[in-house]
Amino acid sequence: MSILTSPRGKVEVVHCRRTESRDIFCIKNLIRKFTQKLFGRLNIIYLLEKANLAITLCNDKEEIMAHATFLDYPNWNVANQEDWVSMFWELDKELQCTPLNTLFMHLFVAVDEYSTGCCKEIIWSVFKAVPELHFIFLIVPAYMSLGSTLITVFDQVGNIPNLTFDEDFAVHICYRHSHYPQLHIRKARVEDHDDLMPIFMQHDTILRATYGEYFLAELIEAQDKENHAVVCEVEGVAVGFMSVCSRVNMELLHQCFDLGPFHGFCDPHPDDVLEQPRDLSFQGSQDISPMRSRQDSQLTVMSQELGTPEIKERYSIQMRWSNLEDIKSSRFSYVSTASSQPGDTTPFRPVYKGASSAFCVQLFCIDEKYEARSLDFMKFVFSLFPDKNFCLISLPHLTPEFVLIQNFVKVVPFNNCTLDQDLYFFHRSGLLKKIKIRLATLLDTSGVEYLISNLKLNKRILEDLKQYNDAQRDPGGTPLQAFVAEVAEQVVGIAVIRDEMDIEYIRSHYNIEDFIYFSHHQREEHAHLFHFAINPIFRHYTKFFLKEIFRLGHKSCLYYPIYPASRDGKFQSSYAHSLTSALHYLVPVRPRRQIVYPLEKLGINAPSKEVSKEPMSYALYHTNRKLTLEPKITVNARIVVVGASNVGISFLETLVFCAHLKFTNLTLISTHGLPGKKLLGSEQRKFLASDQSYTDKDHALMSLCSWVNVVVGRMTAIDRAAKHVVVSQEDIVLYDHLILCTGQQYQVPCPTGADISQHLTTRDIPEGRKQRYTGQVPRNHFTLNDEEDCLNAQIWIRNHSITTEDRQRSPVLCC
C-alpha cells in the first residue's frame, strides 16, 4: 500500500497488482490522444496477451488509477524482436543492457490528477517484481515530448531509425538505481542492534524469549573466522541481517539427504568412495519395501523438475568449480554417482573424505520493503569464505517461501530421513549474470553432449539437436528449433521445441482458454516443448530461458504433454518419455469433458476428425508470455493422503491443478500405489466393479505421478503427537497435514454356518454373528477392490484351469 497526493491535496491509498482481462475496459477509458501519439494505436487485448509484465494500480475502492505494459523487445518496429541488443549498445558504450536486465514500456496510462505519482509507483513495483531488471526503455517518435509525467522517470540517451519508414525515434531510459537500488552490504556492527531489532520482532519473538533481549548484539560481538554477521543498509540505516557460519554438520547431512549429485558438498579427495563395490551390488533384501523406492524418493523435488518418474533416478550433477576467477577453465559437469542396481532396496551411500565446501546461513531477516533485493547478500557472504562453493539453508517444512530461498535449489532427502527440515543450497557460480540464450549451432553438439551425458534421454535429445542442425525440421517437415543457454562460453542448458501441429485437438480437448485468448495467437506462435534441461546451478534462470525461447523463436505459447508409460508394452507416442526440468514453471491444463458424437447418424454434419478422433490421453502443461514473470506460491507442507479412493484422488487432483500454487511435498499411501498404472484390458476389467468416477484415461490426463510421492503399503497406526503414520507396522511417514480417504472396500464375508441343505432364507439365519471374516482366507478366494486384485485373480484362474474334477476348489470372487 502507498499513498498518493494530487497537486490539489487529494489523497489516494493505492496498491499494485497484475493486470487482468476485466481491466481492459477501464484501461481503454484512460487512453488519450497524447497517449496514442506516444505509443501508437494499440489493440489492448492483443498487447496484454503478448506482454511479459502488465501492472495495474488501484485505489482502496479497486478503481483503476493507472496501467503500464512491459515487453522484452522494442515497440514502434525500431529493431527486430530477436536482435535488438547490438543496436542499443551503440547508443551508449557503457550501457550493459541484455535481455536478462532489460524491459521496454509499450503503454502507460493514468488518471491525470495522480499521473506522476502513479508512474513512479508502477516503476518501483516493476523493479521490485523483477530483481534482475536494471533498465526500462521507452521509445517514442523523436518529435514528441514525454509530457510532464514520464519525463520524471525517463532520460533520453539517443535516437534510432525505424525499420519500416523513414523516421527517427527517441530512446529514453529509466535506471533501477534511481528507484529500487541494490543494497549496500557490509559487516555488522553492534550499533546496528537498534535498527534491526524492530525488524526481528515483526517476524519472530521467540529468539528474544529464548536467548535474551540482547541476543543480536551478542551474536555480532561473537564474530570470528568461522562466524560472520553482515547487514544491508539504506541511507545509513540497517534494514537486513544475515549470520553465516562455516561449521556445518556434514555427517548429519550425509545421513539425511542425497548429496551424491553435489559430491557431498565436499572437496574431492583420493579416498572418496563414490561407487558401490561390484561384489556388493546385488546384495540386500529381495523383499519389496513398503516405503518409497529409490526412484520414487526423488519425487520430493525432482518429480516436478524432471517430469516423468522414469527420468529421475539418472539425473545427477556434480559441480567442480572452485573460484569465480577460474571459471573459464572450469566445467559445469554432470557426473553420476548413483550405482544402485535394480532390485537393491538399500541405496548406496557414498563416502566423502574431503574437506567441507559449504557454509550455512544461521539467521536471516530483512525489511519487507527491500526483500526483493535479498540476493544482494550472497556475493558478499561468499567473499567471506573464499574456499567454500556452497551456501546452505535449512528450514522447517511449514516456513513460507521467501524471496531469497527462491534462488536456492532444494535437496532430495533419503527415504528414512526424519529430520524436520528442508535443505537448500546455492552455488557460488549462480551469482553469474552473463547468461546468454541463443539458437543452437553445430558447434554446440559437444557441449550439449557433455551437459546431458548422464540423462536417461540423452540420445533422444542429441538426435533432435542433430535433426535441427541438419534440416531445422523434423522428419515430417514440421519446423524445429533448438536453443542453448551459455555461461562463460560453456553450454549450461538445452531446449528443443517444434511448431505445435495439433492445436485444434488441444483447443477442443483441454481448457487452454483459461490462460489465453486463443484468437489473438497465430498458428505458428504455438510450439511443442520436447526437451528442456538446465544445470541446477542456474535453475533460478529457468523462467528467463523460457522467456527467451518466446522472444528468439517468435512464439507466444508452449505446450508440454506427459504421456502414460505404456499400453501392452508399446508407447502411445514416440515422445512419450520427453524430458523437462521446467515443469514447476508450467501450469497444468484441465481436460474438457467430451461429447460422444454419433458419427454415423450425423453424416456430413459430424465434427472434424481433429475434434472427434481417438484421444491420445496425455496430461497437458502450458506456459505463455504472460506467465514468464508470474510468480508461483510454493507450499512445502508435508501433505499425506491415505487411500487411493475417489476422494483421495480428487483431493490430490485439486491441489495439482492449482495454477498459482506449487505443492512440493504431496504423498499418497496406498496398498497398490496410484491407480491407473496397469491400464487394464477388457478381460481384466470384466472382473472389476467401477463407479466410473476415474477411468484409466482420467488418470492419464492428470499425471499425478509427476507430483505425488507414492508409498506402497498399508497404514497400520497414527501417532498424532509425533505427527507421523506407521506403514506396514514398521516404517513411518511424517506429515504436517493428514488426509484420511480410505474409501469403501469389499471385505471377506464371514460364513454364517447355515445348513444349505435346509434351503434357509436370510430371515432364518441367526443374528449377532461377525460380519467380517478374520481367519485365514482360502487361497482360492479373491476380494477384488482394484486392478491389482483383478490381475492376481486372472493369473490364478489361468494357472489353475477349472475342470469337472476341480469344482470343489473353484475360486470365489467377491466384487
Side-chain angles (χ1 to χ4, degrees), residues 365-493:
C365 191
I366 191 170
D367 191 324
E368 184 179 358
K369 184 178 179 181
Y370 302 99
E371 65 176 348
R373 303 302 317 170
S374 298
L375 197 62
D376 294 346
F377 275 99
M378 299 312 297
K379 184 176 181 180
F380 187 86
V381 296
F382 270 108
S383 69
L384 299 175
F385 301 105
D387 59 330
K388 307 294 185 182
N389 293 325
F390 297 92
C391 176
L392 308 181
I393 294 180
S394 63
L395 297 171
H397 297 292
L398 294 180
T399 302
E401 186 181 59
F402 47 93
V403 175
L404 179 64
I405 210 67
Q406 293 174 357
N407 298 282
F408 282 61
V409 179
K410 192 176 180 182
V411 183
V412 180
F414 282 125
N415 298 338
N416 59 352
C417 175
T418 57
L419 191 65
D420 193 25
Q421 300 275 328
D422 286 324
L423 179 65
Y424 300 82
F425 81 88
F426 185 89
H427 193 270
R428 176 188 294 270
S429 303
L431 294 170
L432 296 172
K433 299 296 183 183
K434 294 185 178 180
I435 180 172
K436 180 181 180 181
I437 314 298
R438 57 175 174 78
L439 288 168
T441 66
L442 188 62
L443 298 177
D444 297 319
T445 303
S446 59
V448 173
E449 185 176 3
Y450 184 81
L451 174 76
I452 63 175
S453 58
N454 284 318
L455 294 183
K456 198 169 185 178
L457 290 183
N458 56 354
K459 292 183 179 179
R460 177 59 60 83
I461 298 175
L462 292 174
E463 288 173 1
D464 287 341
L465 179 61
K466 183 178 184 302
Q467 184 69 31
Y468 166 75
N469 286 323
D470 291 344
Q472 297 189 357
R473 293 179 179 272
D474 67 6
T478 305
L480 196 69
Q481 291 178 303
F483 304 87
V484 295
E486 187 180 57
V487 175
E489 301 180 357
Q490 184 183 335
V491 175
V492 299

Side-chain angles (χ1 to χ4, degrees), residues 492-507:
V492 299
I494 175 69
V496 180
I497 67 172
R498 186 192 69 177
D499 283 9
E500 180 57 70
M501 305 305 294
D502 230 359
I503 195 63
E504 288 82 7
Y505 177 86
I506 290 177
R507 187 181 186 185

Side-chain angles (χ1 to χ4, degrees), residues 169-240:
F169 284 78
V171 178
H172 302 263
I173 190 171
C174 175
Y175 298 94
R176 182 197 65 188
H177 59 74
S178 301
H179 299 270
Y180 200 74
Q182 182 173 341
L183 299 176
H184 173 61
I185 312 297
R186 59 169 174 80
K187 293 291 290 292
R189 300 188 289 261
V190 176
E191 50 265 34
D192 296 324
H193 175 273
D194 293 342
D195 293 335
L196 294 171
M197 281 308 296
I199 303 175
F200 274 98
M201 293 303 101
Q202 289 177 5
H203 296 86
D204 196 348
T205 59
I206 298 178
L207 289 171
R208 184 166 64 177
T210 304
Y211 299 106
E213 187 170 355
Y214 299 101
F215 75 93
L216 190 57
E218 295 171 357
L219 185 63
I220 295 174
E221 286 183 333
Q223 295 184 76
D224 53 31
K225 293 183 179 180
E226 295 182 333
N227 298 274
H228 297 278
V230 298
V231 300
C232 60
E233 66 175 13
V234 175
E235 297 180 351
V237 178
V239 296

